[in-house]
Amino acid sequence: MNPEWLIVTAEDLQYEREQLRDEGKDVSLLVDEFDELIAVLDSDDFTIEKVEDRVDVVMSLVDEAVFEEYKTQIHSLFDRARKLPERDDYVYVEPSDWEGIVRERPPESDKPSIGSTSLSSSEQFDHIHGAWLGRCAGCWLGKPVEGWTTEKMWSVLRDQDNYPLERYVEADISPSVRDEYDVSPDGVFASAHTGDEDKMPEDDDTNYTVAGVDLVTTHGTEFESEDVARYWMRNIPLLRTHTAERVAYRNFANLVSPPESARHRNPYREWIGALIRADPYGYASLGEPRVAAELAWRDARVSHVKNGIYGTMWVAAMLAAAPFADDLRDMIRVGLAEIPEASRLTEAVEDVIAWRDEGCGYDEALSHLHDRWDETNYHHWCHTVSNAQIITIGILWGDGKLGQSICRTVQAGFDTDSSGATVGSLIGMYNGADELSEKWVGPINDTLESGIDGYHRVSLSSLAKMI
């Protein structure tokens, strides 16, 4: 048995090589070794099932005996690559430790004010409940089209007379479009709306939110990164985790503790997994974005580094500020104030803000996005920075409305359910539950199905009250 993300494939080495370049490493010193091992892992000696939707099935079923011959070489390459020198032309400063992050944040004088942070208990509940409802709505909107290219997604939406996207993706689809784009009713598309649902179906983008709420209510806000690692191992089955989280889990089991668990042979260390875990820390810190960012950092560092950490800090801080923000740009910049100023994430988000300020329309913004990132490259598809740009597009071109915000997020493509969930949570927190349209929250029936023990079917209201 070789579960995906536990055994190294040719793609993983390609991701590692690209990640090293992203981090400013001089990969030229090891490029020949990467090429040779990638060629070996991609050869006929390995049985690799090629599928279009990696999300649906285990992609790499590798002959274990053959793989064992190369494991030592692969591990040695990962370990030596960590020691590569930084290129002279690298302009970013991206620490992962807390002191380094604090040192590289923008000046305090540049941080936008969010005004009064006073809320009654009922107002707090309304905003947190709104965030939960919005998170579920955005996740459910993006879930059926997760892993699809925009060409495929937009073709299916046009077939349903739902382009531009303005309602939940429906289960009904014409046979010709189903055949042309290989839409499987048993894959992720099984989560499309049928009209008779009574709950939000389980998804990792909501499982981690439940887990974070449970962690905070169990340990309080004094939890440490090791508590996060122990919580996962006690409450989340290994094969319910993905990419960076699954590698970190493997490292925990091999007694590799945080923060080394995030860096050790982990090619997904800046992917979006930590960002989707941000929400509980914003929910628990209303009016205190700096506190929210620190809590998110403690969680993120078990599986991620650099921009993988910054993404969750940014989102947690925005959520803590959202009920008090008069302006969505200020909310975005309150989040940016908690992360290094000279980071790729800050630069990417500021680029999107500039597109909006320059008068770009939504379609033009998507054109800029897709010019920068290759949606057929899984490293781009699931990276924190690419999806942070999509999240920013959803916020700025959504004009503060839940439906418009999550639709413009999901229609952009890439990690649709994750970015849709994050934008839904932010806009739900910004508005509060009482202001959200029944069109989007009605089908959820205030009910969530999760894979977290003790929360297999739970009301969103009860989760909001807990936090």
Side-chain angles (χ1 to χ4, degrees):
M1 181 182 74
N2 297 311
E4 190 180 17
W5 305 307
L6 284 178
I7 191 165
V8 179
T9 67
E11 279 191 323
D12 295 329
L13 287 181
Q14 290 167 351
Y15 301 149
E16 175 64 15
R17 184 170 58 186
E18 194 164 358
Q19 173 63 36
L20 290 165
R21 290 190 180 114
D22 291 346
E23 292 175 310
K25 298 293 187 179
D26 185 359
V27 185
S28 66
L29 300 174
L30 292 176
V31 69
D32 290 343
E33 289 187 59
F34 271 102
D35 288 344
E36 289 169 11
L37 276 174
I38 288 169
V40 167
L41 294 178
D42 212 16
S43 71
D44 292 339
D45 289 335
F46 292 82
T47 307
I48 301 179
E49 182 181 354
K50 301 292 186 182
V51 295
E52 180 182 0
D53 277 340
R54 179 176 177 152
V55 176
D56 289 349
V57 300
V58 173
M59 182 177 181
S60 306
L61 303 175
V62 182
D63 185 285
E64 194 164 358
V66 177
F67 178 78
E68 286 296 324
E69 297 180 23
Y70 297 97
K71 185 188 292 185
T72 301
Q73 295 180 50
I74 292 167
H75 289 173
S76 173
L77 181 57
F78 267 99
D79 296 344
R80 284 181 290 120
R82 289 186 61 170
K83 300 175 183 178
L84 286 170
E86 191 172 284
R87 301 191 311 269
D88 291 338
D89 63 347
Y90 197 69
V91 299
Y92 304 104
V93 182
E94 298 177 330
S96 296
D97 64 293
W98 180 250
E99 292 77 12
I101 291 171
V102 170
R103 185 172 59 250
E104 297 301 329
R105 290 188 305 214
E108 188 69 21
S109 59
D110 292 349
K111 184 177 180 179
S113 171
I114 57 173
S116 172
T117 56
S118 176
L119 291 176
S120 67
S121 295
S122 62
E123 289 171 330
Q124 290 179 45
F125 169 78
D126 180 57
H127 283 280
I128 296 171
H129 188 208
W132 265 112
L133 289 165
R135 182 162 191 84
C136 289
C139 182
W140 205 351
L141 179 65
K143 188 175 174 69
V145 296
E146 181 185 8
W148 291 10
T149 63
T150 49
E151 177 190 0
K152 178 175 178 177
M153 185 205 321
W154 296 352
S155 296
V156 169
L157 294 177
R158 288 187 180 100
D159 182 69
Q160 297 186 347
D161 194 24
N162 191 15
Y163 183 87
L165 185 59
E166 61 180 12
R167 64 180 186 275
Y168 283 117
V169 181
E170 297 159 358
D172 185 39
I173 184 173
S174 70
S176 61
V177 172
R178 183 184 298 120
D179 293 343
E180 181 178 359
Y181 290 99
D182 192 24
V183 179
S184 170
D186 299 321
V188 291
F189 198 71
S191 60
H193 274 249
T194 61
D196 58 358
E197 296 89 357
D198 66 348
K199 63 182 181 301
M200 166 68 197
E202 180 186 350
D203 190 88
D204 63 325
D205 292 284
T206 49
N207 278 346
Y208 283 115
T209 318
V210 174
V213 168
D214 195 30
L215 176 76
V216 170
T217 54
T218 300
H219 292 279
T221 55
E222 300 305 312
F223 73 88
E224 300 293 342
S225 300
E226 290 76 8
D227 295 317
V228 177
R230 282 190 290 269
Y231 184 93
W232 288 14
M233 296 185 78
R234 288 172 177 159
N235 297 281
I236 304 176
L238 171 62
L239 297 186
R240 285 186 187 269
T241 61
H242 305 281
T243 61
E245 287 71 27
R246 190 172 294 187
V247 173
Y249 205 127
R250 177 194 66 197
N251 287 334
F252 303 156
N254 287 320
L255 305 182
V256 179
S257 301
E260 177 62 14
S261 52
R263 190 64 177 82
H264 185 65
R265 299 170 186 168
N266 182 1
Y268 321 108
R269 55 190 176 272
E270 284 195 311
W271 287 19
I272 200 174
L275 185 151
I276 72 172
R277 308 199 304 263
D279 292 45
Y281 311 118
Y283 299 175
S285 309
L286 295 188
E288 297 286 351
R290 185 141 292 177
V291 173
E294 183 178 356
L295 299 182
W297 170 81
R298 290 187 219 157
D299 180 309
R301 68 198 288 263
V302 308
S303 56
H304 287 73
V305 304
K306 301 186 178 185
N307 293 276
I309 292 175
Y310 308 156
T312 191
M313 295 175 68
W314 174 59
V315 170
M318 284 196 289
L319 283 163
F324 316 100
D326 294 325
D327 182 271
L328 289 169
R329 294 173 199 230
D330 281 351
M331 180 187 77
I332 292 169
R333 288 206 165 104
V334 165
L336 292 180
E338 303 306 325
I339 68 173
E341 189 172 25
S343 65
R344 283 166 282 147
L345 192 146
T346 293
E347 177 184 72
V349 171
E350 290 287 4
D351 283 348
V352 177
I353 295 172
W355 301 342
R356 185 62 164 162
D357 290 345
E358 291 163 5
C360 288
Y362 172 69
D363 290 340
E364 188 177 358
L366 291 198
S367 179
H368 288 319
L369 173 81
H370 285 271
D371 284 344
R372 179 167 181 176
W373 307 99
D374 178 3
E375 65 179 338
T376 66
N377 178 340
Y378 205 55
H379 184 66
H380 291 192
W381 181 84
C382 213
H383 202 279
T384 295
V385 178
S386 55
N387 285 283
Q389 288 202 309
I390 291 173
I391 289 165
T392 309
I393 288 172
I395 295 169
L396 294 181
W397 276 265
D399 295 330
K401 300 172 183 175
L402 177 63
Q404 184 168 313
S405 299
I406 60 177
C407 284
R408 292 194 163 182
T409 302
V410 169
Q411 189 175 309
F414 293 77
D415 199 345
T416 49
D417 61 334
S418 296
S419 54
T422 295
V423 170
S425 184
L426 286 162
I427 301 303
M429 178 70 85
Y430 179 75
N431 288 297
D434 289 346
E435 298 298 319
L436 303 184
S437 167
E438 185 69 12
K439 170 183 176 179
W440 295 104
V441 304
I444 295 166
N445 193 35
D446 196 45
T447 304
L448 173 67
E449 188 176 66
S450 92
I452 305 300
D453 191 33
Y455 299 91
H456 293 306
R457 187 180 176 101
V458 61
S459 76
L460 301 179
S461 300
S462 65
L463 291 167
K465 289 175 182 174
M466 283 176 63
I467 203 71

